Amino acid sequence: MLKTRWTRRFSEIGIDDVPLVGGKNASLGEMTRELEPLGIQVPDGYAVTAEAYIHFLEANGLVARIREIMAGLDKENVEGLTRRSKEIRDLVLKGQVPSELRDEILQGYEELSARYGGENTDVAVRSSATAEDLPTASFAGQQESFLNVHGEAQLLESVKKCFASLFTPRAIGYREDMGFDHFKVALSVGVQKMVRSDLASSGVIFTLDTESGFPDVVFVTSTWGLGESIVQGRVVPDGFYVHKPTLKEGYEPLIRKRLGTKEFKLIYDETGHRLVENVPTSPGEREAFSASDEDVLLLARWAVAVEDHYSEKRGARTFMDIEWAKDGLTGELFIVQARPETVHGQRQSPTVRLYRLGERGPLLVEGLAVGNAVATGSARVLEDPGEIEAFRPGEVLVTGITDPDWEPIMKTASAIVTDRGGRTSHAAIVARELGIPAVVGTENATTTIASGQPVTISCCEGEVGRVYEGTLRHEVTEIDPTSVGRPRTQVMMNVADPERVFELSQLPNDGVGLARMEFVFAGWVGIHPLALTRFASLPPRIRLEINRRTRGYEDKTEFFVDRLAQGIGTIAAAFYPKPVILRFSDFKTNEYAHLLGGENFEPHEENPMLGWRGASRYYHPDYKEGFMLELRAVRKVRETFGLKNLKVMVPFCRSPEEGQRVQEVMREGGLVRGEDGLDVYVMAEIPSNVVLAREFAAIFDGFSIGSNDLTQLVLGVDRDSERVAPLFDERDEAVKRMCATLIDEAHRAGRKVGICGQAPSDYPDFAAFLVERGIDSVSLSPDAVVPTTLKILEVENEGS
């Protein structure tokens, strides 16, 4: 390209050029110059500068006229705002591109086309505001972009449309809210070679968890076709989580993946009537992941490199919001846009808010949870943002899908519920910025919920957001982790639900003392392991349902291993590098029978509590193959994901001999105590574990007291029996002596002792007793972590 005044090729610009070319274009130039040598691919292109935009306005005499129209603007007057916006945009669209600017834009287009071997190549024309995507403000989505633009006439018209989009109602309103001078924000336009993702897939990447702000994952979303479907929130995309620290160590930690519905895809309109068109996806496309594991891992590596580069440039950790696309013709991946993430990136306070529902009501709808809060209010079902007069501040907005025209209403809502959209939809992004909960992608909220109906929006129950009928009681706990000191006794956490761990890991803690595998079994797998290893023996009805759930897996046991590894891996990643102690499955026979296919393999027992459970199952020929699947999942977490902080624990082990038999099976399955840092613990929940503590200590690395079962068996009390339940008390002297004896005996043998039962969470005085006896760690329910930590600090200070 010859020396130019109004345009700059991407390779000539960088992030220091935001005032000239805007945030998007500057980031593309920065990546082209600095990150392409690392293997990151960026489509070629050039920027029409902000100076060109100003020259266009001045050449058409528009500056003074725009000032006149904007004089006396009242942003709360939606009708007036909309009218002024249209008037300004009409003026811009009627303007003529000055000949010297026109020639330079077309010269750049000609040279770009030549580099791709032809004339009139297809390009994306993207707006980029010069104050765009600062760490404290995001202009993303407020200006317009155009895809599959061909030829000189389409290009020049698209550039003018981009110029005009600086004055959309949403862009004007946002600048008013953020205190930006309308005439100090200019617009640049990027002209970028199209990536033929209409023939493949595309998506958005965040270098943190968008709901909790957890910083150690890359969140990749993907859908079929062009990426505007995700950016505009019109589809629920596939989602993938990759763990950053072990990714940097060379592992492949794709710890979690979720299939989205992907109802539509945006493709080229081959008829020529429009640039692009939205078409329904096929059943096969909806049922398949739109990005391969290999592509997701490569994109995650690129995202980490982009984050590291921008963090170094800015002198502070900078989380990134990145758009990517795959070319269906060449199979190549490209980064097409990168900008700082602005919701969590600007938060300074370390305060963690924990919400908990105090009751449940009738469930109306459920979808994807955005945020982790709870809100109540009267529902207001609206079809169009023009119905703003019907909306009252504090109501819950219920609608099909939102776009920036809804923002005046959204700013006064207590919560948002939509029929369509995913976690990167407009509704989700705005809800995060406003700090309110949203439930998106419910499919039927607008037909199920009635205006005026009292509802409770719950996003505190994991990945699924729920809308309940009525105004439900709920609690909010605010915690500043930096204000809580660390005691000598380790304070760990009991964790069951992988979907909450990114949030919970931000509480002050020393790791996970009990990760319950059976919760992942039930919630993430849902199928009895033997129903997969002995699939052919099942009745046709059950085989049909298992085929439906395991669609895409030729080897059905791989479904079990993948899903279990994802649940376990998510927990281990959230607390990495702190230890996470996983208890192998501890269902009773009646609980196993409730899993799909389970009734075909489980015996009926009169007293399952004392029956075939825990260690006795793992080596038994009637279950051993199921335990081998558990071992494969653990190996995947440790060896493929690289999460060596994962330890394992054997429950309900009645004798040292039984412990040895379990470890023999573990060795057969490739897990060997002591190899690669693997610790193997035993639950101390049977009197024999205490009486023979030295013998157990010889074959295990430590003990974890299960106070619930230990109390039952020491006192001979069935805690589920109404008649004797009042006699169940972990603080009984006999139970306390058993705990004290175990601590003493284990320490003499050089082994650590923790407790993961409910007692320390419920009774701070019991936790104090254990600390006085020298216990090494206590593992608590999340809501008890902070108050019990403070109690332990008090006890330790008194004893020092």
Side-chain angles (χ1 to χ4, degrees), residues 761-774:
S761 298
D762 291 344
Y763 308 117
D765 58 324
F766 186 71
F769 160 76
L770 294 171
V771 170
E772 290 168 353
R773 296 301 309 206

Side-chain angles (χ1 to χ4, degrees), residues 462-512:
E463 194 172 68
V464 177
R466 295 181 172 90
V467 181
Y468 295 101
E469 184 178 352
T471 302
L472 304 181
R473 288 184 294 103
H474 62 279
E475 301 171 2
V476 186
T477 304
E478 288 199 6
I479 299 163
D480 179 355
T482 62
S483 69
V484 181
R486 302 310 304 145
R488 293 187 300 274
T489 307
Q490 288 193 321
V491 178
M492 306 176 84
M493 223 181 295
N494 296 339
V495 172
D497 185 358
E499 293 175 358
R500 292 193 64 207
V501 292
F502 292 154
E503 169 197 353
L504 296 177
S505 67
Q506 297 175 64
L507 294 171
N509 71 86
D510 295 300
V512 175

Side-chain angles (χ1 to χ4, degrees), residues 62-340:
L62 297 180
V63 176
R65 296 179 68 182
I66 292 174
R67 286 187 181 275
E68 289 174 10
I69 295 169
M70 290 291 288
L73 172 70
D74 177 5
K75 67 176 182 178
E76 304 301 330
N77 183 340
V78 177
E79 184 180 345
L81 175 62
T82 303
R83 177 181 52 78
R84 293 168 196 254
S85 165
K86 184 177 185 306
E87 196 173 339
I88 294 171
R89 285 182 287 131
D90 286 345
L91 286 175
V92 174
L93 293 174
K94 290 174 183 175
Q96 298 298 312
V97 180
S99 59
E100 63 277 16
L101 175 55
R102 177 185 183 280
D103 291 346
E104 200 167 304
I105 292 172
L106 296 182
Q107 175 190 319
Y109 181 54
E110 181 181 340
E111 294 180 1
L112 179 63
S113 297
R115 289 196 292 274
Y116 284 93
E119 295 182 354
N120 296 333
T121 192
D122 51 342
V123 292
V125 181
R126 300 177 181 272
S127 304
S128 185
T130 55
E132 187 169 70
D133 302 322
L134 305 173
T136 56
S138 173
F139 287 77
Q142 292 174 27
Q143 284 80 46
E144 293 179 2
S145 296
F146 303 92
L147 306 178
N148 189 25
V149 174
H150 286 268
E152 296 180 350
Q154 279 190 6
L155 174 60
L156 292 172
E157 187 63 21
S158 297
V159 169
K160 285 204 299 179
K161 288 179 178 178
C162 286
F163 286 166
S165 71
L166 192 62
F167 288 93
T168 61
R170 55 186 179 270
I172 294 171
Y174 188 79
R175 290 195 295 272
E176 287 283 317
D177 289 340
M178 298 300 294
F180 286 95
D181 186 327
H182 295 287
F183 299 95
K184 290 186 178 178
V185 177
L187 194 102
S188 169
V189 177
V191 180
Q192 182 182 47
K193 178 68 175 82
M194 280 291 297
V195 176
R196 290 301 303 269
S197 58
D198 61 304
L199 303 175
S201 55
S202 57
V204 178
I205 307 170
F206 294 92
T207 62
L208 80 173
D209 174 46
T210 53
E211 305 314 315
S212 66
F214 178 70
D216 285 343
V217 289
V218 176
F219 178 41
V220 179
T221 64
S222 173
T223 194
W224 300 114
L226 300 168
E228 290 298 300
S229 293
I230 290 183
V231 174
Q232 295 172 3
R234 300 201 171 273
V235 297
V236 177
D238 300 327
F240 309 84
Y241 284 92
V242 180
H243 184 237
K244 289 184 199 172
T246 52
L247 181 73
K248 290 182 176 182
E249 293 173 8
Y251 292 98
E252 298 181 346
L254 206 176
I255 58 171
R256 186 165 159 190
K257 49 199 286 192
R258 284 291 179 270
L259 194 67
T261 53
K262 307 182 296 292
E263 305 96 326
F264 298 94
K265 64 178 178 179
L266 197 64
I267 62 172
Y268 280 18
D269 179 11
E270 300 295 349
T271 67
H273 296 301
R274 292 170 294 180
L275 301 179
V276 293
E277 63 175 336
N278 217 14
V279 299
T281 48
S282 68
E285 288 173 320
R286 290 175 210 152
E287 293 168 4
F289 283 104
S290 53
S292 68
D293 291 359
E294 295 75 18
D295 283 351
V296 170
L297 289 166
L298 177 58
L299 289 168
R301 293 187 189 98
W302 285 3
V304 169
V306 172
E307 178 186 293
D308 288 347
H309 178 78
Y310 275 78
S311 297
E312 183 179 351
K313 281 275 186 178
R314 294 176 181 273
R317 189 167 191 181
T318 303
F319 301 114
M320 299 298 294
D321 172 351
I322 301 166
E323 293 179 26
W324 66 274
K326 183 170 185 173
D327 195 302
L329 297 176
T330 67
E332 295 175 293
L333 291 170
F334 292 87
I335 298 296
V336 297
Q337 194 168 301
R339 54 183 172 244

Side-chain angles (χ1 to χ4, degrees), residues 32 61 68 85 136 203 227 268 313 350 353 372 386 395 432 443 558 586 643 645 649 653 712 725 777 783 793 798:
T32 300
E68 289 174 10
S85 165
T136 56
Y268 280 18
K313 281 275 186 178
R353 284 186 176 181
N372 53 22
E395 290 184 327
R432 290 188 199 104
E443 297 185 357
E558 282 300 319
D586 192 27
L643 295 166
N645 61 321
M649 182 157 62
C653 186
Q712 286 193 108
S777 65
D783 59 343
L793 284 166
E798 288 174 356

Side-chain angles (χ1 to χ4, degrees), residues 554-615:
E554 288 187 24
D555 180 352
K556 299 192 182 305
T557 64
E558 282 300 319
F559 168 82
F560 182 96
V561 173
D562 274 0
R563 297 289 288 165
L564 193 58
Q566 287 175 37
I568 297 167
T570 299
I571 298 172
F575 291 88
Y576 183 88
K578 299 171 185 175
V580 171
I581 302 174
L582 172 73
R583 183 176 69 189
F584 287 124
S585 62
D586 192 27
F587 280 135
K588 288 77 175 173
T589 50
N590 59 321
E591 295 167 335
Y592 269 113
H594 289 149
L595 296 171
L596 181 61
E599 68 274 10
N600 296 275
F601 304 105
E602 295 299 328
H604 172 74
E605 294 184 313
E606 292 298 330
N607 189 356
M609 184 70 72
L610 296 179
W612 192 37
R613 60 175 289 203

